[in-house]
Amino acid sequence: MNVRRIKRALSTLLAASLLLSILVGPAPTALAQQKQETPEEKKLREQEDKAKKKEEEKKGKEEKERAKETKKYNTLKDFSEDLYASNFEYRDQVDEQFLELQGHHAREAYYINNNNRVDAVKTGRDSRGDDLLELRRVLYDNPRVAEYINRLGQRLVPEDSDKLYTFKVTVNPIPTAYTLSTGTVLISSGMVSLLDNEAQLAYVLAHELAHVHRDHWKLKVMMDEAQDEYNRKQENKARWRGALIGLAAGAALGAAAGAGAGDTARVAYYGMSLGQDIAVRYAKRLNVDWHTLQEDEADDFALKLVLANGYDAQEVPKLYDTLARVARSDARMQLGFLGNRGRIRQRSEFSQRQLKGALSGKYQELLAAGKLLGTSPEFSLIMAELKRDNGIEAFQYDMLSMAKANLQQAHTLRSDDPLATYYYARVLKQVGRTPEELTQAQQLILSAIRLDTRQNIPEIQLHRAMLLIDSKEPGQQAEAVDSLKKYVTAYQKKRIEERNTDTTLPGNIDIIYDYMRLLGEKSWRAPSAQPVLAGGVPTAPPPALPASSPATSRPVPASGTRKP
């Protein structure tokens, strides 16, 4: 009876399950399994799986190679430091070579600090055989930007550092950053112009600071010298091991063959020589790529340093995303700080691993306390000036993507800046493909004319005339002629003033005028200099130029910037 009840209950349960499955339908997983891929979908999925597997294999290979190189680097570093501590001859040799390197870097620093003027330099010949002249300037001569970046860098220097540093901006649209053993940290205007906030700027400065703080320059000299010594010692060890093994093998072979004592000795000697040759050939020599490994060490140091100073280190992977993007759009971007695109990816992945791993606790602690800083109001203000000037520089190099982005940002941040407005119009006029862009360029030219209260940019009138001529509207012909006349007159006055007074004014006179504009003074310009005779008696001053004449133009940076 009980058995029959159990059977009935089981039958009822099975019937209910069957009814439920009919009402509800098959499970989603079953539906997914029933769904058939089309041939195109299957091919696409297989391609994606293959690409993913290939990428994972590539990353795995890179990690193994990186671990191998790190081990070699640490081995040679320990060897060189031990040799420096124990071998007085090696120590004297390293100290002498490092002193020579510092002397070279000191001369480079002297050149940088004392050649911040416009020099015509012969750089070669063009396709027609004519001399090429480049107007070269080293440092960016905007004191607000220079002081801000140096001040930020000094705040990052670790308290236990026994070295002194200086942080400077060079005029170069290619993103570069490097350090001299003198403690001089140099970052290009192109590098700064790509940064979105102060946290990213702090990271770049901290990375360069690390090379001096960690004595990378001296280590490079030490390891250069120690590598040959290490390899010689490895060869000697291998030679002795090979000789012993070859000797024993030769003697055993001679004895097994039943040779006499003399023949056995000859076979043993041959085995010893052969063992030496083979062992030396396969000795574990070191050939270390310490440049890459020191860059990795500097990245790690910089991440920890910016976090210790309360900066949002999550901005670092975003910085590498930006660098990867601009490197794809213009390969010249890889000439400086970036390295190749593969290194950008590696460094981005390294920063993300650190932030998710070793630095995660510190980051979350600062985040919860609301103590993470991304940027500051001062950063945004000075970026307007730097992006403008670097955009002009990039325009002269035909780095058009950077020029357009920089000048658009500069115009947005400082819509009352005539130079930013004018050059943004130039870029749009040069690369514009749509009627809307050309119309915007014309409107910007008109704005620049209105903003150029000192009439310091004669070329504005020339480009306005070109736009009016291109419009082919009869009613605008008279305006085009008027603009051409104004261009010739303003250009003539500007050239006269340059010849008469350019050497008597500060090289960054237009920056001074920028500051005055920010402070509300939009028309004052420097008076003409009064020549002095040899006896110290002043001559009669030259005739004063009209109030509307242009001020002395800004010195032209390395590529001929601001020479429209």
Side-chain angles (χ1 to χ4, degrees):
M1 186 66 179
N2 290 336
V3 173
R4 282 198 291 270
R5 287 180 180 176
I6 292 173
K7 287 182 178 180
R8 282 199 299 272
L10 184 59
S11 299
T12 303
L13 181 61
L14 288 172
S17 299
L18 179 61
L19 179 61
L20 183 63
S21 65
I22 293 172
L23 293 174
V24 174
T29 54
L31 282 176
Q33 291 171 354
Q34 290 174 9
K35 182 181 179 182
Q36 295 295 320
E37 288 181 317
T38 64
E40 292 79 10
E41 289 173 338
K42 182 178 179 181
K43 185 178 180 180
L44 180 61
R45 178 179 57 78
E46 288 175 347
Q47 288 176 345
E48 290 175 349
D49 291 344
K50 185 177 180 181
K52 185 178 180 181
K53 183 178 179 181
K54 189 175 180 180
E55 183 65 24
E56 289 174 353
E57 289 175 352
K58 181 180 178 181
K59 288 183 179 180
K61 186 177 179 180
E62 287 176 352
E63 284 299 316
K64 289 181 180 179
E65 189 63 29
R66 179 171 177 159
K68 182 179 176 182
E69 286 297 317
T70 301
K71 184 178 179 181
K72 287 164 58 177
Y73 175 82
N74 290 331
T75 297
L76 185 57
K77 180 182 176 183
D78 292 342
F79 176 82
S80 62
E81 288 175 342
D82 291 342
L83 192 63
Y84 186 81
S86 60
N87 189 315
F88 295 110
E89 184 178 349
Y90 168 76
R91 182 190 302 175
D92 290 343
Q93 189 174 3
V94 168
D95 289 346
E96 182 179 348
Q97 291 199 11
F98 182 58
L99 186 61
E100 183 179 342
L101 175 68
Q102 285 189 305
H104 174 75
H105 284 176
R107 290 189 293 273
E108 186 174 347
Y110 180 86
Y111 171 82
I112 290 169
N113 292 325
N114 288 277
N115 285 274
N116 201 35
R117 60 179 183 270
V118 180
D119 292 322
V121 181
K122 183 178 177 181
T123 59
R125 295 181 179 274
D126 62 17
S127 58
R128 297 174 299 180
D130 296 331
D131 287 345
L132 287 172
L133 293 181
E134 180 181 356
L135 295 176
R136 180 173 297 165
R137 188 184 63 176
V138 181
L139 293 178
Y140 181 46
D141 60 2
N142 187 317
R144 285 184 74 208
V145 176
E147 289 178 10
Y148 165 75
I149 288 181
N150 184 60
R151 202 162 57 244
L152 174 58
Q154 299 300 344
R155 290 201 303 267
L156 294 169
V157 176
E159 292 182 3
D160 62 347
S161 178
D162 60 348
K163 302 176 180 67
L164 299 179
Y165 303 83
T166 179
F167 301 83
K168 300 181 179 182
V169 184
T170 61
V171 178
N172 188 350
I174 293 173
T176 64
Y178 66 100
T179 306
L180 304 179
S181 59
T182 53
T184 309
V185 174
L186 298 159
I187 180 171
S188 72
S189 56
M191 185 74 244
V192 180
S193 76
L194 293 176
L195 306 177
D196 292 328
N197 49 59
E198 192 171 280
Q200 294 179 354
L201 175 58
Y203 171 76
V204 176
L205 296 179
H207 171 96
E208 295 305 323
L209 181 157
H211 289 307
V212 175
H213 183 71
R214 291 293 181 88
D215 287 321
H216 283 171
W217 282 111
K218 188 167 186 178
L219 274 172
K220 183 180 184 302
V221 174
M222 290 172 61
M223 294 168 75
D224 268 333
E225 292 299 314
Q227 184 166 264
D228 290 340
E229 180 65 20
Y230 179 88
N231 288 334
R232 278 195 296 270
K233 288 192 174 186
Q234 290 299 107
E235 288 177 5
N236 287 336
K237 288 179 182 178
R239 185 176 287 110
W240 279 106
R241 285 195 299 268
L244 291 173
I245 294 172
L247 181 64
L253 184 62
D263 289 338
T264 299
R266 282 191 290 272
V267 173
Y269 179 77
Y270 176 76
M272 181 180 70
S273 299
L274 182 61
Q276 283 182 329
D277 291 343
I278 294 174
V280 169
R281 188 179 303 171
Y282 292 99
K284 292 182 178 180
R285 300 177 185 87
L286 284 181
N287 183 18
V288 179
D289 176 18
W290 48 72
H291 174 77
T292 297
L293 290 162
Q294 287 183 346
E295 289 296 309
D296 291 344
E297 187 177 347
D299 283 346
D300 182 59
F301 178 90
L303 275 170
K304 293 173 181 174
L305 190 59
V306 296
L307 203 54
N309 281 271
Y311 285 104
D312 189 351
Q314 289 288 358
E315 292 297 328
V316 175
K318 296 177 186 177
L319 165 61
Y320 283 118
D321 288 343
T322 299
L323 298 182
R325 185 179 68 253
V326 299
R328 284 194 298 270
S329 66
D330 190 338
R332 289 170 293 180
M333 296 294 189
Q334 300 180 61
L335 296 172
F337 175 84
L338 307 186
N340 60 52
R341 280 184 279 174
R343 281 292 292 150
I344 297 174
R345 176 180 55 77
Q346 291 172 3
R347 295 169 81 164
S348 177
E349 290 172 353
F350 172 77
S351 65
Q352 292 177 62
R353 283 197 306 271
Q354 290 293 91
L355 289 168
K356 291 177 182 177
L359 301 179
S360 176
K362 179 67 174 177
Y363 182 85
Q364 293 300 328
E365 177 187 338
L366 292 172
L367 182 64
K371 293 182 178 179
L372 286 176
L373 174 66
T375 193
S376 67
E378 191 174 12
F379 178 87
S380 300
L381 287 174
I382 70 160
M383 280 302 101
E385 298 171 28
L386 185 136
K387 285 180 183 289
R388 175 198 65 192
D389 295 338
N390 189 74
I392 297 170
E393 189 83 4
F395 183 60
Q396 303 295 352
Y397 276 90
D398 281 350
M399 299 174 72
L400 300 173
S401 294
M402 171 178 273
K404 184 178 179 181
N406 280 179
L407 290 164
Q408 182 181 25
Q409 292 165 340
H411 175 67
T412 300
L413 292 168
R414 284 275 309 276
S415 58
D416 64 338
D417 185 334
L419 205 59
T421 304
Y422 165 66
Y423 270 99
Y424 184 35
R426 284 285 309 276
V427 172
L428 289 179
K429 184 172 180 289
Q430 194 76 27
V431 304
R433 300 175 185 174
T434 65
E436 291 78 15
E437 287 177 317
L438 296 178
T439 299
Q440 185 183 7
Q442 185 169 8
Q443 292 171 345
L444 289 167
I445 288 289
L446 296 174
S447 296
I449 291 173
R450 176 177 54 80
L451 294 170
D452 187 26
T453 53
R454 294 187 178 88
Q455 299 183 23
N456 198 33
I457 316 173
E459 291 78 10
I460 295 178
Q461 295 290 350
L462 173 62
H463 288 281
R464 178 172 184 260
M466 295 301 100
L467 288 169
L468 291 169
I469 292 171
D470 289 343
S471 70
K472 296 182 175 57
E473 294 185 17
Q476 293 184 335
Q477 291 180 356
E479 287 187 58
V481 171
D482 183 58
S483 290
L484 290 172
K485 289 179 180 178
K486 289 179 178 177
Y487 164 67
V488 173
T489 303
Y491 186 85
Q492 184 180 43
K493 290 178 179 179
K494 180 177 179 179
R495 295 296 295 161
I496 291 172
E497 186 173 270
E498 285 176 347
R499 286 199 301 271
N500 291 341
T501 64
D502 190 41
T503 58
T504 68
L505 292 173
N508 59 350
I509 184 64
D510 58 334
I511 296 269
I512 304 303
Y513 289 150
D514 278 348
Y515 294 163
M516 289 183 180
R517 175 180 290 277
L518 287 171
L519 296 171
E521 175 54 71
K522 299 182 179 181
S523 59
W524 184 90
R525 63 185 184 86
S528 300
Q530 183 173 335
V532 179
L533 296 175
V537 179
T539 63
L545 293 172
S548 61
S549 65
T552 302
S553 67
R554 176 177 303 185
V556 184
S559 62
T561 298
R562 303 176 192 90
K563 186 180 180 182

